[in-house]
Amino acid sequence: MRTLTATLEAVQKKPHRLPYVEAEVYDYEQGIKRLTWTRIYTGSEPDNHHGLTFDGNGDMHRIRVEGSNLYYQKLFSPFNAPPSFPLSFPISLVSWFDEWELIATDYAGSCAIAACGAKVYIFYRTTGNVLWKYYSHDYGDTWDDAQLVDYADVLSMAACWWGIGDIVVCFALKSNELNGITLDTSTQEATQHTWTDANHPLLSIYGIGATFNAFWPCCEIVLAAKESDTPYNHFDLFRTWFLDTYNFGALESFLMSPDGEDITYEYPDCHLPASAQSYETNRIIAVEKFAGTTAYTRPLACLMVKGTYWSDTTFTEPKPFLDVSPAYGLRIASTADYWWLEKPDGVWRAPRPADSPLDLTKDIVTLQTNVIASPTSVGRGNLVLELDNSKGQYNVGEGLVPSLINKRSEIVLKLGYKTTAGKETSEAGTYWVDSWEYSSKPNMSRFILTCLDGWGLMDRWTARYQMRWNKDEVNPKSVWQILYQLLARAGIKLTNTPAKPQSSAINNFYPDFTVNPGTQGDTAIRKLLSFVPDKLIFRGQEAFTKNPLASEESCYSYGTGHAILSGKYIEAVTVSRARAIGRDSGDNRILEEALDWDLLALAIDQLEQDYDPNLQTATRAQERADALLREASLRAQRGNLVVPTNCGQELLDVVEVTDERCGISEEKYRVEAIQTDYDRRQGIYTQRLALCAP
């Protein structure tokens, strides 16, 4: 149960209470600010390799390739588009995006650019098949050039500064090899760090991007490649990293297309602002190319899930985000005020600071929430908010819809009461706008929002390609780790902080688990959770698992201090025997059972069984049998309560119930579902708690 202040807990037990609820809207994607891109330059430059960076003054530096020529451009902040004609007065200072300076005529293959303070470094492969550097230490006013290293056959390059010191790193990617070249700009000494990953034999590569993360510190890297594999080769976006020991981490794929489906992923980039705010994270962009009928080239974008780490490979599902066709990808960067994208003939920007949330509190007329632990049907978890729109403040065009209130905007709900300490609340969940409607009658106008919870987000996500874990012994993943990655596709972080009870199976069972294309996220998760007794609970932009142990103590009491408005209590026959069947490595049959001896003593033999070849030991099979019996017990309804709203009540809490009207005294139940109803017109502020076995 969520912790409440003493004053808040006391007032919710009083016979007379003053309800207070809050709701705020954020234009976020699971805690991360959504970006709205505006194109500020449209040119006619041919598409080819290109790059983007910003110096310490905030000035923009760009490079692009045309044939064997390498061009450079510096643009002074602010970056305004050229004026339209006829001119209007006064004329603002203008940066011209179509003026380029030729800096090299021996380009052949790839290029990259990075800046820090006054230093700007350009790297490229020459017609002599070596890597060259073209650099300035005075914001691009004067330049020098020299060979970087004698490293041949480079196909793709990326560069990023190591923090704010003297080291810049140039990543040079061959068809099957990655080289991290650290350059000390104070001495011009370059050191190469070559690396391959035997677990991921690459056949060809299609681009690389890199950014610096000061927290570890490390350079976080995304690359596109074709991997040799069994039973088929595939095209992937991979992530890896470059540590302060100048060693690389392992490759791990997060987007894959089998060879033969005519889809490739190319020219990725990634960026993390140097001073990332709580609503910012590392963003990844790439190009998806389809060569079949009808062919397309389309930019994709995804981001790292809030509160997770690059090494976790917790990235949201890559999705199309701009209606352009950049054959050589887009480059991404940031300044204090904007996120930036560019390609040779285009520049885009999106405001970086987050808007203040929109407070809906004063307009809430009614609300209803429904939350359930590991639902067995779609659409059970949601929030419906009815808002007073008598002043037309939520009408389209009034600045709220669709700018702040938009589809999939986040609503943070808080439940509370007015206490002697003021208006006190407890956060009761995060929801995402799925639809809205207007309702009107004489002298009445309403704006109604219907929102999804985390289960709803997973229901809307479907697998784009086959995802498989533990098909071999390389990089095994437990049930908890697979769940961690599945939830990440919808932007949800799975956490166990603070620690909750967990079964042995959820952390020690490594199933050969496959999610086929088109499978809905909630279906995949329910299948995964069927292997273990643990349940899944969503809290804000996070989720946690909990093993509902029968020995758990109650955390709250109803019927003594906290009134029961109505109650219903049920006893019914449930499964009395569960059987799990598997095969060991020698193909010998394994059979383990869990039994309810009280029911069996009544001659009730109601059997549930499961065969799973992943169960290769007696321990794993016994865990499955125990989970089946426990799940059957929890699935059986034991009744419900209607109570004045408990602001701290959470799913799977064990509560103690005393209802003398039904002869119930200090009986323990577990909360399986919560429905909260608020109606300020009728003075309703109650919760209906669905009960199951403790």
Side-chain angles (χ1 to χ4, degrees):
M1 180 170 154
R2 295 187 298 274
T3 302
L4 305 179
T5 65
T7 50
L8 181 55
E9 184 170 345
V11 79
Q12 69 183 18
K13 296 178 180 179
K14 291 182 177 181
H16 302 289
R17 304 161 299 275
L18 289 175
Y20 179 72
V21 296
E22 288 183 0
E24 291 184 323
V25 182
Y26 295 79
D27 191 21
Y28 285 178
E29 179 184 354
Q30 288 70 278
I32 304 300
K33 183 185 185 301
R34 293 196 291 195
L35 300 184
T36 302
W37 295 103
T38 300
R39 189 167 188 166
I40 64 171
Y41 171 65
T42 301
S44 58
E45 295 88 343
D47 202 1
N48 209 314
H49 294 282
H50 55 98
L52 168 70
T53 192
F54 291 88
D55 64 27
N57 288 333
D59 297 332
M60 179 188 294
H61 300 261
R62 299 172 65 204
I63 55 174
R64 71 174 182 89
V65 171
E66 187 173 346
S68 62
N69 295 330
L70 180 62
Y71 293 91
Y72 162 78
Q73 176 187 92
K74 178 179 178 179
L75 297 154
F76 295 94
S77 180
F79 312 102
N80 300 313
S84 58
F85 294 92
L87 295 175
S88 59
F89 295 91
I91 301 175
S92 64
L93 294 176
V94 171
S95 297
W96 296 87
F97 286 89
D98 59 354
E99 294 183 354
W100 296 89
E101 176 186 354
L102 178 63
I103 61 172
T105 58
D106 61 342
Y107 168 86
S110 57
C111 60
I113 186 171
C116 179
K119 298 178 180 179
V120 184
Y121 274 69
I122 298 169
F123 305 103
Y124 67 98
R125 174 185 160 191
T126 71
T127 51
N129 205 9
V130 299
L131 298 187
W132 207 258
K133 59 185 178 183
Y134 189 85
Y135 59 99
S136 170
H137 285 197
D138 55 8
Y139 299 99
D141 290 342
T142 61
W143 294 85
D144 293 295
D145 68 307
Q147 181 174 299
L148 176 65
V149 289
D150 183 5
Y151 190 64
D153 302 328
V154 171
L155 299 177
S156 293
M157 298 172 68
C160 66
W161 221 270
W162 191 274
I164 57 174
D166 293 322
I167 303 298
V168 62
V169 188
C170 175
F171 295 102
L173 187 59
K174 292 187 179 184
S175 60
N176 60 357
E177 181 179 274
L178 178 56
N179 193 349
I181 304 161
T182 55
L183 175 64
D184 188 333
T185 58
S186 65
T187 64
Q188 297 303 312
E189 180 181 353
T191 306
Q192 299 185 61
H193 311 272
T194 304
W195 169 82
T196 57
D197 188 339
N199 292 323
H200 296 277
L202 302 183
L203 298 172
S204 56
I205 61 92
Y206 299 91
I208 185 170
T211 189
F212 182 72
N213 187 334
F215 177 79
W216 296 108
C218 72
C219 295
E220 296 173 339
I221 303 167
V222 58
L223 62 92
K226 181 179 182 180
E227 179 179 343
S228 174
D229 201 2
T230 302
Y232 49 76
N233 300 332
H234 41 84
F235 298 90
D236 299 73
L237 287 181
F238 293 99
R239 71 94 183 100
T240 184
W241 62 93
F242 189 61
L243 295 170
D244 56 358
T245 55
Y246 298 154
N247 294 317
F248 288 91
L251 278 182
E252 186 158 350
S253 171
F254 62 94
L255 187 62
M256 184 270 286
S257 175
D259 194 4
E261 293 193 355
D262 294 329
I263 292 178
T264 59
Y265 302 109
E266 302 181 14
Y267 299 106
D269 198 11
C270 59
H271 181 70
L272 176 69
S275 55
Q277 304 299 304
S278 61
Y279 51 80
E280 295 179 307
T281 188
N282 197 331
R283 293 182 178 270
I284 300 171
I285 56 175
V287 172
E288 179 182 85
K289 294 183 178 180
F290 175 58
T293 306
T294 301
Y296 63 78
T297 297
R298 181 178 296 154
L300 303 178
C302 66
L303 51 85
M304 195 167 71
V305 175
K306 183 177 181 178
T308 63
Y309 302 118
W310 188 259
S311 57
D312 295 335
T313 324
T314 42
F315 307 126
T316 59
E317 190 66 51
K319 58 184 75 69
F321 73 108
L322 276 184
D323 188 14
V324 293
S325 300
Y328 290 82
L330 299 164
R331 296 287 123 180
I332 186 168
S334 67
T335 56
D337 296 325
Y338 293 99
W339 284 82
W340 295 89
L341 288 173
E342 73 86 47
K343 66 189 188 85
D345 66 346
V347 177
W348 293 259
R349 68 183 180 187
R352 185 179 164 192
D355 293 321
S356 297
L358 175 65
D359 192 348
L360 307 177
T361 301
K362 62 181 176 60
D363 293 326
I364 298 174
V365 178
T366 69
L367 71 81
Q368 183 179 86
T369 69
N370 290 279
V371 291
I372 188 168
S374 304
T376 55
S377 62
V378 174
R380 298 289 296 276
N382 58 31
L383 163 69
V384 178
L385 268 178
E386 182 183 355
L387 303 173
D388 180 5
N389 191 38
S390 58
K391 298 178 181 178
Q393 65 270 37
Y394 297 107
N395 291 347
V396 175
E398 296 300 319
L400 300 179
V401 182
S403 60
L404 289 175
I405 300 178
N406 211 332
K407 295 168 185 175
R408 290 294 190 273
S409 292
E410 290 184 1
I411 294 184
V412 176
L413 178 67
K414 297 179 181 179
L415 302 178
Y417 291 92
K418 295 178 181 179
T419 75
T420 55
K423 299 172 181 177
E424 295 191 72
T425 61
S426 175
E427 190 168 310
T430 300
Y431 298 85
W432 291 270
V433 176
D434 194 52
S435 67
W436 61 69
E437 62 182 271
Y438 293 93
S439 175
S440 68
K441 295 179 181 179
N443 302 317
M444 188 199 79
S445 177
R446 296 286 186 261
F447 180 60
I448 303 166
L449 293 167
T450 301
C451 311
L452 306 173
D453 68 352
W455 279 109
L457 289 182
M458 292 309 301
D459 171 57
R460 299 302 197 271
W461 176 83
T462 56
R464 274 60 168 174
Y465 60 93
Q466 186 184 81
M467 306 170 72
R468 188 174 180 182
W469 292 267
N470 303 321
K471 74 180 180 68
D472 49 44
E473 295 181 357
V474 176
N475 198 17
K477 293 287 191 294
S478 67
V479 170
W480 197 90
Q481 291 169 322
I482 298 172
L483 183 60
Y484 186 84
Q485 293 192 338
L486 278 175
L487 288 169
R489 307 307 276 204
I492 300 295
K493 176 188 176 183
L494 182 64
T495 180
N496 195 37
T497 304
K500 317 291 189 303
Q502 291 189 322
S503 69
S504 171
I506 201 169
N507 291 306
N508 296 290
F509 182 43
Y510 299 86
D512 183 352
F513 187 73
T514 301
V515 178
N516 289 315
T519 302
Q520 291 177 291
D522 64 327
T523 300
I525 287 175
R526 287 201 300 270
K527 177 62 176 177
L528 193 60
L529 289 173
S530 73
F531 300 157
V532 297
D534 307 69
K535 297 276 193 173
L536 179 67
I537 307 298
F538 289 90
R539 178 191 281 170
Q541 296 108 20
E542 297 183 343
F544 63 86
T545 60
K546 179 180 179 181
N547 184 10
L549 299 171
S551 59
E552 185 176 341
E553 295 296 323
S554 65
C555 65
Y556 200 77
S557 297
Y558 291 104
T560 50
H562 197 122
I564 297 175
L565 303 179
S566 67
K568 181 186 290 186
Y569 313 96
I570 301 169
E571 288 289 342
V573 174
T574 62
V575 171
S576 61
R577 185 159 56 116
R579 173 182 292 171
I581 305 168
R583 295 276 179 179
D584 66 16
S585 57
D587 201 34
N588 298 304
R589 195 166 188 257
I590 300 171
L591 188 152
E592 299 292 340
E593 290 189 322
L595 304 102
D596 185 327
W597 289 110
D598 292 336
L599 290 175
L600 289 169
L602 297 173
I604 299 171
D605 187 13
Q606 194 164 315
L607 176 67
E608 188 166 320
Q609 61 183 352
D610 184 25
Y611 170 74
D612 186 349
N614 284 299
L615 302 174
Q616 297 180 354
T617 68
T619 298
R620 299 282 87 86
Q622 186 62 60
E623 289 172 348
R624 179 69 60 83
D626 293 340
L628 289 170
L629 190 64
R630 180 62 173 154
E631 170 61 25
S633 174
L634 295 173
R635 199 165 56 232
Q637 292 187 6
R638 296 288 301 275
N640 59 69
L641 301 177
V642 178
V643 298
T645 293
N646 178 354
C647 303
Q649 190 70 78
E650 286 200 290
L651 294 172
L652 297 187
D653 285 345
V654 174
V655 297
E656 191 175 80
V657 177
T658 297
D659 192 340
E660 295 180 355
R661 297 165 294 194
C662 299
I664 303 295
S665 178
E666 298 181 350
E667 190 76 20
K668 288 169 62 177
Y669 295 91
R670 191 175 294 275
V671 177
E672 176 70 9
I674 305 172
Q675 176 182 310
T676 303
D677 291 284
Y678 169 77
D679 189 326
R680 77 182 187 194
R681 300 164 302 184
Q682 301 183 42
I684 295 173
Y685 191 38
T686 60
Q687 284 178 332
R688 179 179 295 272
L689 309 180
L691 306 177
C692 64

